[in-house]
Amino acid sequence: MDNTTSALYEGDVKSYDADRSRLQRITAYGRDQISQVHLRLLLARIVLAILPRFTFGQLRAAVFRAIGFKIGKKSGFYGTPRIFGRGNLYKLLKVGRSCWVNIGCHFDLSAPIVIGDEVGIGPEVIIMTGTHEMGPERNRTGKYIALPVTIGDGVWIGARCTIMPGVNIGDGSPIL
């Protein structure tokens, strides 16, 4: 094999490696996107979409319980919250008994969210478990991390509050 043929062959190998690497990235991206599709949750959202706001709160809770979420007795949802994350979401949300969740709430289930008994969550509350480490100056969004959130018994979280990843709220605390 002469030098020209050898150089062409090495170029083909580099091209093959680049294509393979690209395919691996595309495959990983596809798997990540599919892991965020939750058919049971999607079906529940379709069924619950016909219910008017502020009505049938315990029925919504029963539907969430039926698809696998741990929702305590006498708890209610006065709107259908946006629930998102990767993997088995149904193991990551636990809502105690006699809780109420108002309209427009968001639950990020990148890590567990545990809500105690008799908790009131106001409208448009966001509970985040996913965030990023602080990156260097040129790109502050560093490595993605997920930290659990725990909300104690008897807590009241007022309208439009945002609960950040890793927060533990003690029993009886008002968050306004």
Side-chain angles (χ1 to χ4, degrees):
M1 186 177 338
D2 64 22
N3 287 343
T4 307
T5 307
S6 176
L8 288 175
Y9 177 73
E10 287 173 10
D12 289 345
V13 169
K14 288 178 185 175
S15 175
Y16 173 77
D17 286 343
D19 288 344
R20 183 172 170 201
S21 177
R22 181 177 294 144
L23 180 59
Q24 288 172 332
R25 286 192 312 270
I26 291 169
T27 301
Y29 175 78
R31 284 187 183 133
D32 177 62
Q33 295 302 298
I34 289 170
S35 77
Q36 296 179 65
V37 176
H38 305 282
L39 293 178
R40 286 185 283 170
L41 184 56
L42 180 62
L43 290 173
R45 290 185 65 76
I46 290 168
V47 167
L48 296 173
I50 63 171
L51 299 178
R53 293 171 145 190
F54 302 110
T55 63
F56 301 103
Q58 289 186 354
L59 177 60
R60 283 187 184 88
V63 170
F64 287 134
R65 204 176 296 115
I67 65 170
F69 287 109
K70 304 291 186 249
I71 310 292
K73 292 181 180 180
K74 297 184 180 178
S75 288
F77 293 82
Y78 298 108
T80 303
R82 296 216 179 265
I83 298 173
F84 54 94
R86 292 171 173 81
N88 188 352
L89 300 183
Y90 311 101
K91 292 183 177 181
L92 297 175
L93 177 63
K94 182 181 177 198
V95 177
R97 63 177 171 71
S98 299
C99 295
W100 56 269
V101 177
N102 216 311
I103 61 170
C105 293
H106 293 249
F107 297 150
D108 167 12
L109 292 174
S110 297
I113 296 174
V114 178
I115 300 171
D117 297 332
E118 300 180 358
V119 172
I121 298 177
E124 299 180 12
V125 166
I126 299 171
I127 302 176
M128 296 297 301
T129 61
T131 189
H132 294 269
E133 292 178 346
M134 184 67 72
E137 187 175 316
R138 64 179 170 73
N139 182 2
R140 290 295 186 194
T141 54
K143 178 183 163 192
Y144 184 81
I145 58 173
L147 302 167
V149 169
T150 303
I151 300 169
D153 295 339
V155 169
W156 170 33
I157 302 174
R160 292 193 169 179
C161 286
T162 299
I163 309 302
M164 298 302 289
V167 168
N168 293 306
I169 301 173
D171 292 349
S173 299
I175 309 297
L176 307 172

